[in-house]
Amino acid sequence: MHLVRAHVLVCGGTNCTSSGSQQVREAFKRELEKNKLEQEVKLVETDCHEFCETGPLVIVYPEGTFYVRVTPEDVPEIVSEHLINGRVVKRLLYKAPVDETRIPTYKQLDFYKKQCRVALRNCGSIDPEKIQEYIARGGYESLEKAIFEMTPEQVIEEVKRSGLRGRGGGGFPTGLKWEFCRRSPGDLKYLICNADEGDPGAFMDRSVLEGDPHSLIEGMAIAAYAIGCREGYIYCRAEYPLAIKRLKIAIAQAEELGLLGENILGTDFTFNLHIKEGAGAFVCGEETALMASIEGKRGMPRVRPPFPAQRGLFNKPSNINNVETYANVPVIIARGADWFAAMGTEKSKGTKVFALTGKVNNTGLVEVPMGITLREIIFEIGGGIVGGKKYKGVQIGGPSGGCIPAELMDTPVDYESLIQAGAMMGSGGLVVMDETTCMVDLARFFLNFTQAESCGKCTPCREGTKRMLEILTRICNGEGVPEDIETLERLGRVIKSTALCGLGNTAPNPVLSTLRYFRHEYEAHIFDKRCPAHVCTALLVFSIDEEKCIGCGRCLRACPVGAISGAKKEPHKIDPEKCIKCGTCFEKCNQGAVLRL
Amino acid sequence: MPVETGCGTMKLKSREELIKYREEAKKQMLERSMEKTSIFVGMGTCGIAAGAREVMAAILEEVNKRNLQVNVIQTGCIGMCEQEPLVDVQRPGEDRITYRKVRPSDVPRIIVGHVMHGKIVEDLAIARFEEI
Ligand SMILES: Cc1cc2nc3c(=O)[nH]c(=O)nc-3n(C[C@H](O)[C@H](O)[C@H](O)COP(=O)(O)O)c2cc1C
Ligand code: SF4
Ligand code: SF4
Ligand code: SF4
Ligand code: FES
Ligand code: FES
């Protein structure tokens, strides 16, 4: 491929340049010309390699030899010894760190050791904009198998036997849902994919849409065949432009190959797939609101029954599933229900994708077998808590989910265990918290989100969440009263049982679960007017310990509002009237003299 | 708006035609990986947010400048979003190596060192790719 025999890379980064790499480069140019090597050996200027303290840096390929602290005077030697005679100039060699870093395989990385990629099987491996790559990896083989070798009933039976449950939150058995819709009378039925992904911080579905859109399309086509749908919609939020772009390309490719559209693969099976962009309201992820939105109406939930399988989109029987649910289907058909059901627990089969965020060392997207414990996810895959801080708990299931405390970190991640612990699987948000998280503040954050997203149709959710939020805000501001805890619990219970849709039914979860496990934090706020995690500013008091203060003045200079006074070498003082509780003095003092209560 | 599909085939009208298409796609992929080095760039939303577009541009520039016959392939999220931009290099018959936190300034070293001379850039390599 290259007529060029060798390459000499000279670092042209700022640091190396200031230590003379420009001259080194010129010296190379002269020497190579002198020895008539300029055709065979190419000079390349590069940017900083972060070896600056040893610059100027020169790397010679093909050997990949690192020379450090190279001066123009060294250059003739490198050229004659290394490039002409093939002998390394030892005295300029970079002393590599003792043991050569061996490069592990993915499976050897902590992050991937316990992962098991089913829904994400192609993400990061293939070009999502090329259907050939998907097909070359066995794509559309399952659709082919379903259409040519299985009856719709057999497909449904296979999905039922696999134990697949909805990955969008509720965990309803997918095969059963398909069966209801298939049995529903009517010729025209709709198939819908919920790609709304409204949970703040979640991006599992986006990754599938962007990284492997054909697995969703194939899963939907199989479902359409099984249920008997001719028309399908993917409802995706407009804030996902890349996902929408890749979906459009993928649908167009599948249509062109005859894998979507009329008479798929020459059979009488027809399935047309459309994309519907949503405006991104959280409540539009609720299935009935979503269907209203596709119909062009305001995205508001309605009473169920009738269920979508009976009367859904445009009043026709409809089936709705989440992106990840559909993405699992081709694998189930290809490898069989037994293979799938061998992963997971008795009632929760297969894998689940999570967006692992918060105070863990390794954040990112993980797909794990059901039944794995929170401990394994956080401490093995996640690599533990950032900065060695204390692990406090995990918020799982997004704004509708709950907090599970450190004591329960051996809870297996499956639908039932999480509900029992007061949280839920949700769509896959997993936020890890350390000791610096205030649980009251956290509950307020999520309630603030759901409250703002409430569609306002029913009173318990519209008014109730507002009352709860007011109380939480008061508590965080240090104005909580003893009755607040009981009121929160009562309101939470009422809203959960009387709200019309899932948004209201679950909105109190973050509050109720933190009250269950972290009640002492609420009590500290209300009775002691203290925030144990030092987060709620209104409750913080900064002062200076006269005994410890050496009067260095660091805090005084750093305070942004001039709240600190004191003479040199005398104990300093904070004026509580002026202090805005920014915490700067607390961080600046190296005597531990600033007290934070 | 019409979308560029680039499938290069007319409608597949039977099971046999799909099977043939798949065999052909497999053969092409195999040939591609046997003949040429492939460079994969993670181009999901978080990769792009971390600067994958700039890295992609630097790769294309370097490839064109040196007139290299390689496949430059975009791909989706592998999960290590925190380590983005991620770039993989696979030379024919060799391990596929993942590089992390790649900056445009690292590209010449990856191209000249690994792609052209087969020397893994160890300080940027995070893992050897394999199916999980
Ligand atoms: C307020 C609210 C928001 C929801 N948001 C989503 C969402 O973003 N994505 C999703 O798949 N399901 C969401 N759901 C669940 C859907 O209503 C529905 O149960 C799901 O799409 C069914 O698919 P599945 O059985 O495959 O999980 C939401 C539910 C509620 C109540
Ligand atoms: S529970 Fe909330 S979001 Fe759902 S219908 Fe009632 S007001 Fe609207
Ligand atoms: S930084 Fe600490 S020791 Fe120095 S003056 Fe302020 S309180 Fe005193
Ligand atoms: S907390 Fe901030 S505002 Fe208050 S005294 Fe310290 S530096 Fe000044
Ligand atoms: S400037 Fe050359 S290694 Fe940093
Ligand atoms: S988008 Fe690249 S690893 Fe997540």
Side-chain angles (χ1 to χ4, degrees):
Chain A
M1 158 168 54
H2 30 96
L3 302 160
V4 181
R5 172 169 70 83
H7 282 85
V8 176
L9 274 62
V10 182
C11 178
T14 336
N15 285 317
C16 287
T17 304
S18 66
S19 53
S21 69
Q22 209 53 42
Q23 287 87 316
V24 171
R25 202 174 131 79
E26 271 148 30
F28 265 112
K29 202 159 171 265
R30 274 197 312 274
E31 276 308 304
L32 290 177
E33 279 169 15
K34 209 166 88 190
N35 292 289
K36 304 218 165 16
L37 288 172
E38 68 268 35
Q39 294 302 325
E40 273 176 67
V41 180
K42 281 270 176 272
L43 253 184
V44 184
E45 184 173 346
T46 66
D47 267 312
C48 177
H49 302 306
E50 284 168 10
F51 285 94
C52 312
E53 66 286 6
T54 57
L57 182 77
V58 172
I59 313 172
V60 181
Y61 287 109
E63 298 84 358
T65 315
F66 258 68
Y67 290 123
V68 291
R69 298 200 181 84
V70 178
T71 64
E73 291 75 51
D74 296 325
V75 172
E77 190 182 347
I78 297 180
V79 171
S80 68
E81 277 299 286
H82 189 148
L83 292 169
I84 298 176
N85 293 323
R87 286 192 295 256
V88 169
V89 182
K90 289 227 175 67
R91 67 181 176 87
L92 296 172
L93 263 188
Y94 173 66
K95 298 260 187 306
V98 217
D99 73 309
E100 282 229 318
T101 37
R102 283 213 52 244
I103 303 163
T105 64
Y106 269 59
K107 228 17 203 194
Q108 287 165 340
L109 294 178
D110 289 338
F111 190 67
Y112 287 105
K113 240 174 229 165
K114 299 223 155 163
Q115 288 200 47
C116 187
R117 290 159 66 97
V118 179
L120 300 179
R121 61 196 176 280
N122 292 322
C123 281
S125 309
I126 64 167
D127 184 339
E129 294 184 12
K130 297 219 167 75
I131 194 171
Q132 295 95 322
E133 296 204 8
Y134 181 74
I135 291 181
R137 286 171 60 106
Y140 290 104
E141 222 164 45
S142 300
L143 176 63
E144 183 196 319
K145 181 172 167 188
I147 299 178
F148 292 102
E149 292 174 22
M150 299 165 85
T151 63
E153 289 78 9
Q154 283 171 325
V155 175
I156 290 179
E157 193 50 37
E158 196 70 13
V159 174
K160 270 166 81 177
R161 275 206 317 118
S162 76
L164 176 65
R165 294 168 66 176
R167 301 296 193 242
F172 192 83
T174 304
L176 203 58
K177 203 190 247 187
W178 292 11
E179 188 166 59
F180 288 149
C181 192
R182 175 164 184 86
R183 292 210 177 136
S184 217
D187 287 337
L188 185 55
K189 293 175 187 174
Y190 289 103
L191 192 79
I192 305 166
C193 171
N194 191 340
D196 193 50
E197 195 155 66
D199 289 11
F203 57 96
M204 299 75 54
D205 296 344
R206 188 188 74 200
S207 296
V208 173
L209 300 171
E210 289 177 358
D212 191 20
H214 285 289
S215 70
L216 167 64
I217 295 174
E218 186 179 4
M220 287 187 78
I222 295 169
Y225 171 75
I227 298 167
C229 305
R230 289 174 58 95
E231 301 294 320
Y233 287 90
I234 299 173
Y235 186 88
C236 183
R237 54 180 44 223
E239 284 101 326
Y240 282 179
L242 187 63
I244 291 174
K245 177 186 155 214
R246 297 226 168 114
L247 265 179
K248 280 188 177 154
I249 295 174
I251 290 176
Q253 290 176 337
E255 282 172 350
E256 188 166 316
L257 285 186
L259 298 165
L260 278 179
E262 305 287 320
N263 301 106
I264 290 172
L265 293 172
T267 64
D268 54 9
F269 171 49
T270 290
F271 180 52
N272 297 302
L273 195 49
H274 317 277
I275 298 174
K276 176 80 191 169
E277 293 180 34
F282 179 60
V283 75
C284 284
E286 195 281 334
E287 53 193 32
T288 59
L290 186 150
M291 288 185 265
S293 176
I294 296 181
E295 290 168 2
K297 302 186 192 129
R298 220 181 123 189
M300 268 203 189
R302 62 157 174 80
V303 186
R304 292 172 308 176
F307 288 97
Q310 305 158 304
R311 281 216 343 245
L313 186 59
F314 302 116
N315 282 324
K316 302 290 178 204
S318 304
N319 179 75
I320 178 165
N321 280 121
N322 166 263
V323 175
E324 195 185 327
T325 314
Y326 285 125
N328 273 300
V329 171
V331 193
I332 292 172
I333 299 300
R335 308 186 71 161
D338 295 331
W339 174 84
F340 189 82
M343 287 179 293
T345 63
E346 197 198 328
K347 288 186 177 160
S348 304
K349 302 295 189 191
T351 60
K352 178 76 193 89
V353 183
F354 289 98
L356 183 60
T357 56
K359 306 289 174 61
V360 275
N361 284 312
N362 311 327
T363 60
L365 200 68
V366 303
E367 181 168 357
V368 288
M370 297 269 192
I372 191 171
T373 63
L374 290 169
R375 183 197 295 277
E376 289 170 285
I377 297 182
I378 294 158
F379 287 91
E380 296 183 34
I381 296 174
I385 307 300
V386 176
K389 288 217 168 69
K390 206 169 141 220
Y391 169 53
K392 189 168 194 172
V394 61
Q395 156 78 24
I396 186 165
S400 334
C403 292
I404 300 181
E407 302 88 84
L408 296 182
M409 68 175 141
D410 288 312
T411 304
V413 175
D414 64 55
Y415 292 100
E416 279 72 25
S417 306
L418 290 177
I419 298 255
Q420 211 182 3
M424 62 187 256
M425 184 75 79
S427 56
L430 217 157
V431 189
V432 178
M433 297 166 299
D434 68 7
E435 54 196 325
T436 64
T437 311
C438 166
M439 300 315 251
V440 187
D441 182 59
L442 182 89
R444 181 176 64 152
F445 170 84
F446 282 112
L447 197 69
N448 191 28
F449 176 83
T450 33
Q451 203 280 317
E453 295 287 338
S454 164
C455 81
K457 188 169 179 175
C458 61
T459 324
C461 170
R462 186 183 63 234
E463 297 303 324
T465 54
K466 215 177 274 169
R467 288 290 92 74
M468 286 182 80
L469 184 61
E470 278 168 14
I471 295 173
L472 288 172
T473 307
R474 234 178 357 154
I475 296 176
C476 291
N477 285 338
E479 292 151 8
V481 293
E483 308 84 81
D484 282 346
I485 293 184
E486 207 182 304
T487 316
L488 281 175
E489 278 175 333
R490 191 164 33 85
L491 273 170
R493 276 198 306 271
V494 172
I495 299 170
K496 263 177 91 90
S497 56
T498 55
L500 179 63
C501 87
L503 190 147
N505 298 144
T506 58
N509 282 354
V511 183
L512 295 177
S513 68
T514 47
L515 271 171
R516 174 165 160 193
Y517 297 116
F518 301 94
R519 201 182 194 86
H520 53 279
E521 290 198 25
Y522 283 82
E523 288 165 354
H525 282 74
I526 295 172
F527 299 109
D528 314 340
K529 304 295 173 205
R530 196 168 59 77
C531 173
H534 306 292
V535 170
C536 300
T537 24
L539 295 173
L540 292 182
V541 182
F542 287 88
S543 62
I544 291 173
D545 182 342
E546 289 192 14
E547 301 286 306
K548 284 191 183 156
C549 176
I550 56 165
C552 67
R554 288 167 68 105
C555 59
L556 185 149
R557 286 190 295 275
C559 175
V561 292
I564 304 179
S565 59
K568 252 198 158 66
K569 302 204 170 148
E570 298 285 325
H572 284 38
K573 248 187 142 57
I574 295 177
D575 179 351
E577 296 291 309
K578 283 193 191 159
C579 173
I580 55 163
K581 307 177 184 188
C582 69
T584 309
C585 55
F586 181 78
E587 277 155 30
K588 287 283 169 194
C589 178
N590 52 21
Q591 302 295 315
V594 176
L595 306 173
R596 186 181 65 175
L597 286 175
Chain B
M1 193 183 63
V3 187
E4 185 59 49
T5 58
C7 302
T9 305
M10 297 301 284
K11 258 194 176 48
L12 306 170
K13 285 191 211 65
S14 65
R15 183 176 197 184
E16 289 65 38
E17 285 181 29
L18 173 59
I19 294 173
K20 230 175 82 198
Y21 185 87
R22 184 177 300 115
E23 291 312 315
E24 190 54 36
K26 270 188 192 156
K27 217 174 87 199
Q28 277 179 18
M29 295 261 297
L30 194 69
E31 276 167 13
R32 182 182 85 183
S33 65
M34 303 272 278
E35 285 165 6
K36 291 186 192 170
T37 295
S38 298
I39 305 173
F40 301 81
V41 185
M43 296 278 270
T45 293
C46 47
I48 290 170
R53 274 199 214 290
E54 291 74 14
V55 172
M56 177 64 111
I59 289 173
L60 291 174
E61 193 196 314
E62 198 71 25
V63 163
N64 290 333
K65 196 164 79 189
R66 304 191 186 285
N67 220 342
L68 302 177
Q69 297 302 308
V70 296
N71 311 300
V72 181
I73 301 159
Q74 64 166 341
T75 184
C77 179
I78 190 76
M80 291 187 282
C81 310
E82 201 190 19
Q83 307 284 354
E84 291 271 17
L86 292 165
V87 172
D88 291 9
V89 171
Q90 178 162 40
R91 298 190 8 130
E94 293 177 16
D95 281 345
R96 172 169 165 183
I97 301 293
T98 302
Y99 294 108
R100 66 190 186 118
K101 295 195 177 168
V102 176
R103 302 159 304 172
S105 59
D106 296 320
V107 168
R109 218 151 42 109
I110 294 175
I111 299 284
V112 177
H114 191 169
V115 175
M116 298 176 69
H117 292 291
K119 287 284 178 302
I120 297 170
V121 183
E122 289 204 13
D123 52 301
L124 296 174
I126 182 165
R128 272 179 284 137
F129 185 90
E130 63 181 351
E131 301 287 331
I132 307 149

